[in-house]
Amino acid sequence: MEKQTVSSLFSLLFAFLLPFAFTGVQGIKELYGVYNGTAKLFVFGDSYADTGNSPVSWAGSWKQPYGVTFPGKPAGRFSDGRVLTDYIALFLRIRSPIPYKWRKYVNKSKLRYGMNFAYGGTGVFNTLIDQPNMTLQIDFFKKLIQQKVYTKQDLDSSIAFLSVAGNDYYTSNGKIRNQTEMPDFTKSVVNQISINLKRIYDLGVKKIAVTGLQALGCLPGQTLASSFQQCSETPNLVSKFHNQLLVQEVQKLNLEKKTLAFFILDIYSAFTSAINNLKNHTGQSKSVNPLQPCCVGTSVEFSCGSVNEKGEKKYSVCKNPEESIFWDMGHPSQNGWHSVYLNLHSSLHQFY
């Protein structure tokens, strides 16, 4: 009888621990729904934050092989899996907020985590992508408040996250804007960001994070010229100037509002640290180049997710997406975002 009891206890223990062996702690949270946070997260911005707003009709985020790591199929994220929005929600212990586009098609209980207004390809101003810029996204948020979808009490416990990936700085051929116009244009971009931050604060959100620019010159679209061997310095200078102005503007806002409501997520340092860590990590496969994207077109006229008129794939995917930093020519992989999240983790405590 004692042997049978001991055997039963071991069986129960094995059944309990088995999920940890395959998923880890984060996986257990997802399996068993440990989301006990009370904050609401409102998200604005671009493809670095979009979790499903961009149109199915044209956005690459709805095509194979996007979403192959999570959730296992295309779901509107510009990555093989999770993006920064998902990791910020994880930090807050809430589910990733529902995309604005899908708000009318879900149970109202899903709205309790906040809402994601970000659209891939958009910017602070209008870009080549004909989707709502950040000003219009904030207008959507304001309208929901006016419609009492979110109350003052909801906003008192809310947090806003603004993603600025730099789409405003690109021209139609994917190049960075002319350097002669860049200083004045950068000032106008940062000034508009400041206006956006103030609008969200005045709507009732009391903790607001905005990303600095990542190292634009380290994106695969820029490092392609060197066969993904080195970052391009000129675009990185654009990022540094933007970030310098943004720091000054956020400091002014906090002084003006006599609060510490606004803070910056240093994406530049988080990305460069992730890239350098992969370069120096001897445990990684020697074939892993941190500047090289995992998913690429088979030739220059194709990109990740492309198919020809016969429906044949015109892209290739690396063997180990979980080791890459970049998924495609402009977006991080889930592993890349996870690495960035770990580097940002201490900064995220400013939400509280």
Side-chain angles (χ1 to χ4, degrees):
M1 179 67 71
E2 289 182 359
K3 287 184 178 179
Q4 185 176 358
T5 301
V6 171
S7 177
S8 298
L9 286 172
F10 271 112
S11 296
L12 286 170
L13 184 61
F14 179 78
F16 175 73
L17 293 177
L18 183 61
F20 282 93
F22 291 100
T23 66
V25 175
Q26 182 177 320
I28 289 297
K29 289 181 179 179
E30 290 158 5
L31 282 173
Y32 298 111
V34 184
Y35 298 100
N36 58 3
T38 58
K40 288 177 173 55
L41 176 62
F42 296 104
V43 182
F44 307 87
D46 43 51
S47 58
Y48 280 17
D50 186 1
T51 56
N53 279 317
S54 293
V56 177
S57 58
W58 64 262
S61 56
W62 292 102
K63 299 176 181 178
Q64 295 284 359
Y66 288 82
V68 65
T69 301
F70 173 84
K73 61 182 180 181
R77 289 170 173 81
F78 289 81
S79 183
D80 64 310
R82 295 167 182 83
V83 295
L84 189 54
T85 297
D86 301 304
Y87 285 109
I88 291 177
L90 177 68
F91 175 84
L92 297 172
R93 303 191 311 279
I94 62 174
R95 292 188 182 276
S96 204
I98 196 75
Y100 172 76
K101 185 174 72 174
W102 304 105
R103 70 195 183 284
K104 295 180 180 179
Y105 306 100
V106 299
N107 189 292
K108 286 187 178 180
S109 65
K110 299 287 187 183
L111 305 184
R112 71 181 184 272
Y113 302 111
M115 194 167 292
N116 188 340
F117 300 91
Y119 281 78
T122 64
V124 175
F125 300 122
N126 289 336
T127 63
L128 299 171
I129 302 299
D130 187 21
Q131 294 297 312
N133 63 25
M134 195 173 285
T135 296
L136 289 176
Q137 293 172 24
I138 298 170
D139 288 344
F140 297 157
F141 179 43
K142 180 179 179 180
K143 187 174 182 179
L144 291 182
I145 296 171
Q146 292 170 338
Q147 294 171 341
K148 308 298 183 184
V149 174
Y150 293 106
T151 65
K152 183 182 183 303
Q153 185 177 359
D154 291 329
L155 297 176
D156 285 342
S157 62
S158 67
I159 287 165
F161 160 54
L162 283 68
S163 171
V164 181
N167 291 322
D168 293 284
Y169 292 109
Y170 289 97
T171 61
S172 58
N173 60 1
K175 302 291 185 181
I176 296 293
R177 283 175 178 265
N178 190 296
Q179 292 305 299
T180 57
E181 64 179 90
M182 193 59 75
D184 288 340
F185 182 72
T186 303
K187 291 175 185 176
S188 67
V189 169
V190 173
N191 180 66
Q192 185 59 47
I193 292 173
S194 177
I195 292 170
N196 293 340
L197 292 170
K198 283 189 283 189
R199 283 190 69 198
I200 294 170
Y201 180 86
D202 291 340
L203 286 170
V205 181
K206 302 309 179 191
K207 276 291 182 179
I208 307 169
V210 59
T211 65
L213 275 189
Q214 77 280 21
L216 291 175
C218 295
L219 294 176
Q222 300 297 322
T223 63
L224 174 62
S226 66
S227 299
F228 308 114
Q229 294 305 304
Q230 61 184 22
C231 299
S232 177
E233 186 57 29
T234 298
N236 280 352
L237 290 175
V238 172
S239 297
K240 290 176 181 178
F241 183 55
H242 171 103
N243 293 341
Q244 179 185 349
L245 294 181
L246 185 63
V247 168
Q248 295 170 2
E249 200 61 41
V250 167
Q251 289 174 344
K252 283 168 53 180
L253 282 176
N254 282 326
L255 287 172
E256 178 185 317
K257 298 294 184 180
K258 298 179 180 178
T259 180
L260 295 176
F262 310 97
F263 65 97
I264 297 170
L265 297 178
D266 185 3
I267 299 292
Y268 190 105
S269 296
F271 265 118
T272 52
S273 293
I275 291 168
N276 291 332
N277 287 343
L278 184 55
K279 282 181 179 179
N280 300 327
H281 188 30
T282 56
Q284 290 283 359
S285 167
K286 292 182 179 180
S287 63
V288 176
N289 175 356
L291 297 178
Q292 187 166 356
C294 177
C295 183
V296 294
T298 55
S299 58
V300 292
E301 66 264 31
F302 299 112
S303 59
C304 181
S306 291
V307 295
N308 63 16
E309 62 278 1
K310 296 179 181 179
E312 298 169 333
K313 292 194 302 185
K314 290 297 177 180
Y315 62 88
S316 63
V317 179
C318 65
K319 292 181 179 179
N320 301 306
E322 69 277 6
E323 292 185 0
S324 66
I325 295 294
F326 294 105
W327 170 243
D328 61 17
M329 297 297 281
H331 303 96
S333 62
Q334 174 173 289
N335 178 63
W337 278 126
H338 184 250
S339 300
V340 167
Y341 166 66
L342 293 178
N343 289 329
L344 290 175
H345 197 271
S346 60
S347 300
L348 296 177
H349 288 283
Q350 295 177 77
F351 277 131
Y352 296 111

